Amino acid sequence: MSSPRDRIIEITFDLFAKQGYNSTGINQIISEAGVAKASFYLHFKSKEDLCVEFLKVRHQYWFNELYTFSSGTNDLPERLIRAFDFLIEMNKKENFRGCSFLNILSEIPVDNVKILNVIQSHKADLRNYFLDMLKDEVLSDHIYMLFESSIIESQLFRSNELIEKSKKIITNLIP
Amino acid sequence: MSSPRDRIIEITFDLFAKQGYNSTGINQIISEAGVAKASFYLHFKSKEDLCVEFLKVRHQYWFNELYTFSSGTNDLPERLIRAFDFLIEMNKKENFRGCSFLNILSEIPVDNVKILNVIQSHKADLRNYFLDMLKDEVLSDHIYMLFESSIIESQLFRSNELIEKSKKIITNLIP
Amino acid sequence: MSSPRDRIIEITFDLFAKQGYNSTGINQIISEAGVAKASFYLHFKSKEDLCVEFLKVRHQYWFNELYTFSSGTNDLPERLIRAFDFLIEMNKKENFRGCSFLNILSEIPVDNVKILNVIQSHKADLRNYFLDMLKDEVLSDHIYMLFESSIIESQLFRSNELIEKSKKIITNLIP
Amino acid sequence: MSSPRDRIIEITFDLFAKQGYNSTGINQIISEAGVAKASFYLHFKSKEDLCVEFLKVRHQYWFNELYTFSSGTNDLPERLIRAFDFLIEMNKKENFRGCSFLNILSEIPVDNVKILNVIQSHKADLRNYFLDMLKDEVLSDHIYMLFESSIIESQLFRSNELIEKSKKIITNLIP
DNA sequence: CATGAATGAGGTTTCATTCAT
DNA sequence: AATGAATGAAACCTCATTCAT
């Protein structure tokens, strides 16, 4: 059996993504991880600290999945389309729970800089992901914004409709 | 002095928009509204009910402000640009708190259909707002998605940068 | 049966005096008072608040008992002696638990002004009690200090020895 | 670098005197001493044990300082006055934190005999300090009590006023 | 229509101590 | 002799909601 710390992170990964930050209590985490409460606080200074750790793990996981999903082609438009198909895949896997980073952004007080920084950093990386591919800041940000909307609107309407529409739109945008 | 119900709604309007749904407790609401606890539950079956009411009021308010801000021109591109300028105005007024509807979407459990419906309805109206103007579903959804991203990204980065970029992009999109 | 608030105060009165401030938890108080936790916080903003309330009640009680015990004579030396006999009485009744005010003074952080003020106020009243009787500040403070020591030393040694010695001393001090 | 045990004692000496017994956690002690948790319990059976050790070290320290401060004169009244001036010096050095022994007396449960004995022993030594000087039990206990009050009242009122008053009083007491 | 007291369930965090290595 | 992870129990406090009046 894995270490308490690992079990906490594993369970947190599931619960935060599924239920959100505020709806997931320490009690549920330690209970499902089979860990004593004091053990939790041995490894994480606070729930906020756990959140930062979660976001970092999620960041790793999410980009890994994206890379894996998009690899296998060097065709630029194809790679872009695959990024959006990745969203469809994630919606299927996670039942339209949207973006953990944006969800937590909505849950934290405006002055929580520690968490905000991690979220900003994640999205900055995503912006760069598109910029690296397209080498055109206006175009890449354009697509980044369609990508972000695609996540949110599919979460809102529990549907991939606008993701599909985005795919069509960007097909026409790319030279 | 206005009725207890009105005072509750008025205060809720401020607090939910400013602090979010979960961070605003019933106690704070009734205390700032100067209303007894039981009086609150006389007018609202639950906090969820109040949330629905809040979203309806917010819906009214938000579209009124948008209409007011966009009126005064019949030029199509100009009206579109003004919609985005309205976001800048709101960010200034509400300190980059983002969209109350999307924020609450992130805060509620996935199975809360009652609230979800109100949020979906609001965003459907917004989609129609652009569709009515543009009469082209692909184009209007395209702009709708840029609009949604503009809200979220400005909330995330506490900056109007991507709103301004969107304005430039749509200028080139409109025939 | 009395109100929850009264039961809380009654139980607190016993527990704080018997066990001290830090050794008495909210859980024990509400459990012995037969009151829900939220009911406690309905009436007291915090444990610190309860402490202030306790000290005020204790202040009332203690001076009432002192007055009662010392009444029945107008002879000055006799009244003074009775004040010290009152300490013996209290030690018997409360098993040498000493002074609640001084005990709590030792338990709070140095910067807790709210509680400190109440304690200072109590002791200032006691100093004035002797000053009013003796009309001589040096003499009254002299006796006040013997009185304070009498409390503490009897608590420390679980004995009335130094109270008795103080009685002999002040008999020689009074003209 | 000194041994873990010594570092623990050194840090404890500072923290217990500054923050009190209950407000100082084992975690803070080992963290500031740079010692592992288990190493602590290797040297001390319990926090209570550490407390006993602390009181013994404090006892040594306190009397040493008192002797040092009072030496340099063989004049009896002068030596007595210096004892009270020593209190003023300690208040200055330790910011009116009072007597560690009496503070801990207030913090421990009434039935903690182990710690109680050490405190009683310290104060018995202090009583003997005055008795050895004065050879008159009534007078020495009289002054001992003024001394004890002086400590406590200066802690309570964050002022040396009653110490100064005690000095005047005892000047008149000594033949 | 209005009230304020009362609640059960849960929140996050910290305590002194022990165990396996 | 030394360690750091793990713990059960308890700390103080807040949540949305209901009840008796």
Side-chain angles (χ1 to χ4, degrees), chain D residues 104-147:
Chain D
I104 287 178
L105 176 66
S106 294
E107 294 199 63
I108 57 170
V110 279
D111 58 353
N112 192 327
V113 179
K114 230 199 284 189
I115 290 181
L116 179 61
N117 281 342
V118 185
I119 300 174
Q120 286 177 339
S121 170
H122 170 76
K123 290 300 185 186
D125 285 358
L126 180 57
R127 266 176 97 176
N128 275 326
Y129 177 80
F130 289 115
L131 179 57
D132 286 347
M133 283 170 72
L134 294 159
K135 318 284 182 199
D136 173 342
E137 220 182 270
V138 172
L139 182 59
S140 69
D141 274 343
H142 188 165
I143 288 171
Y144 166 71
M145 284 192 278
L146 290 175
F147 193 80

Side-chain angles (χ1 to χ4, degrees), chain C residues 65-79:
Chain C
E65 294 285 302
L66 172 61
Y67 283 129
T68 304
F69 199 92
S70 310
S71 70
T73 178
N74 286 324
D75 182 53
L76 181 60
E78 175 65 14
R79 278 186 75 87

Side-chain angles (χ1 to χ4, degrees), chain B residues 55-74:
Chain B
L55 291 174
K56 285 179 180 168
V57 172
R58 179 85 186 169
H59 176 81
Q60 281 274 74
Y61 166 80
W62 192 88
F63 270 104
N64 273 348
E65 294 285 303
L66 172 61
Y67 283 129
T68 304
F69 199 91
S70 310
S71 70
T73 178
N74 286 323

Side-chain angles (χ1 to χ4, degrees), chain A residues 25-27 37-38 41 47:
Chain A
I26 301 288
N27 284 332
K37 205 170 284 189
Y41 282 95
K47 195 190 177 187

Side-chain angles (χ1 to χ4, degrees), chain C residues 32-168:
Chain C
E32 297 198 14
V35 160
K37 203 171 285 187
S39 302
F40 173 89
Y41 282 95
L42 180 69
H43 296 293
F44 303 96
K45 204 164 56 50
S46 65
K47 193 190 179 187
E48 188 192 359
D49 247 47
L50 175 67
C51 184
V52 168
E53 183 65 25
F54 160 75
L55 291 174
K56 285 178 179 169
V57 172
R58 180 86 187 170
H59 176 81
Q60 281 275 73
Y61 166 80
W62 193 88
F63 270 103
N64 273 350
E65 294 285 302
L66 172 61
Y67 283 129
T68 304
F69 199 92
S70 310
S71 70
T73 178
N74 286 324
D75 182 53
L76 181 60
E78 175 65 14
R79 278 186 75 87
L80 281 174
I81 295 299
R82 288 203 187 180
F84 284 78
D85 280 333
F86 170 65
L87 294 183
I88 296 175
E89 173 77 7
M90 289 296 280
N91 282 336
K92 193 173 154 194
K93 200 188 286 183
E94 301 190 341
N95 198 30
F96 296 96
R97 264 311 270 142
C99 171
S100 290
F101 297 84
L102 296 181
N103 284 334
I104 288 178
L105 175 66
S106 292
E107 295 201 60
I108 57 169
V110 282
D111 58 353
N112 191 327
V113 179
K114 214 151 79 184
I115 290 180
L116 179 62
N117 282 341
V118 184
I119 300 174
Q120 287 177 336
S121 170
H122 170 78
K123 291 299 185 187
D125 284 357
L126 180 57
R127 265 176 98 176
N128 275 327
Y129 177 80
F130 290 115
L131 179 57
D132 285 345
M133 284 172 71
L134 295 160
K135 318 284 181 200
D136 172 341
E137 219 181 272
V138 172
L139 182 58
S140 68
D141 272 345
H142 188 165
I143 288 172
Y144 165 73
M145 283 192 277
L146 290 175
F147 193 81
E148 289 285 271
S149 299
S150 291
I151 301 175
I152 285 152
E153 302 304 314
S154 60
Q155 174 184 10
L156 170 56
F157 292 110
R158 270 83 167 124
S159 143
N160 293 316
E161 181 202 354
L162 287 178
I163 302 180
E164 297 291 1
K165 202 166 252 172
S166 293
K167 282 164 61 180
K168 282 185 195 138

Side-chain angles (χ1 to χ4, degrees), chain B residues 4 36-39 42-43:
Chain B
K37 188 78 71 83
S39 300
L42 200 66
H43 294 294

